[in-house]
Amino acid sequence: MVNTLSLYKPLLQGLMKLAGVTPRAVEIEPGTVIRFWVPSETTTTNKPAVVFLHGFGLDGILTWQFQVLALAKKYAVYVPDLLFFGDSITDKTERSPAFQAECMAKGLRKLRVEKCTLVGLSYGGIVGFKMAEMFPNLVDSMVITCSVMALTESITCAGLQRIGFSSWADYLIPETVEDVKKLLDVAFYKLPWIPDFVYRHILEALYFDHKKERHELLEALIVKDKDFTVPSFTQATRRQSNGALHREGRSLGGIGATLCLQ
């Protein structure tokens, strides 16, 4: 049987192109390439940039397809694949969220994005917080959901105990169809009925590649409680000084509502 997800992806790519975004490979440095979905050249004029960072389950465009459809007319939408997801790859050994953040920022600079609102889900939210800390002039504002600033040891222990797994890899890197079912059952509020062959296709299409590197990404996520301090985000200070904090909050609320509704 043909993999249903492999059949869906070309259809999705065609739909995204009709919505005004197109795929582009951006070389960050020799050996490191980030795949972005970027606005078509004719759709970027005077539009504020919104960057979407996906979680640990799917690649960028599978995660954010509905948000792209909802927002591409009014915003310049950028959807990267984080390293070792989709078509993004590196030959470097660094696996930290800071390295992901640096690669995303460099890629956006190469795409001539000077300022953006960043939207992050789960793992993408952790990378997004790091981007906002490291590149405050690039990340002007943020919408983060299902995420934390850093995955500390205490958060890890409490989270794994709550969902019933011994490690993040056991949860986020499934090895069998049953593992995929457990992952989606935790991730969805109300998981609809899905036939077993679809679970198998999800496993084959999304979780067979880069297993070693993804294990390393998860290991690099966890930080000791004593080593974490809340960063000082200069974006908030900047808005307070120019009196735009309330105005920006209303703007972000509109994007956040769109994400929730989708």
Side-chain angles (χ1 to χ4, degrees), residues 173-190:
I173 308 178
E175 298 283 350
T176 67
V177 168
E178 287 303 314
D179 290 343
V180 177
K181 290 180 180 179
K182 292 176 182 177
L183 188 158
L184 296 180
D185 187 54
V186 172
F188 280 77
Y189 172 61
K190 289 185 178 181

Side-chain angles (χ1 to χ4, degrees), residues 192-253:
W193 178 82
I194 300 174
D196 279 352
F197 74 87
V198 174
Y199 286 111
R200 185 175 69 255
H201 291 176
I202 291 172
L203 178 67
E204 294 169 353
L206 299 179
Y207 295 105
F208 278 2
D209 295 334
H210 304 304
K211 283 187 177 181
K212 174 179 177 293
E213 292 83 359
R214 292 188 187 183
H215 275 274
E216 293 168 351
L217 290 175
L218 290 173
E219 290 172 3
L221 267 182
I222 301 174
V223 299
K224 296 182 182 298
D225 289 9
K226 66 181 180 63
D227 294 336
F228 173 69
T229 56
V230 177
S232 177
F233 294 104
T234 61
Q235 294 89 338
T237 304
R238 188 166 65 234
R239 284 199 193 83
Q240 287 172 341
S241 65
N242 65 18
L245 185 61
H246 176 68
R247 200 160 54 246
E248 191 67 46
R250 289 192 301 172
S251 170
L252 290 179

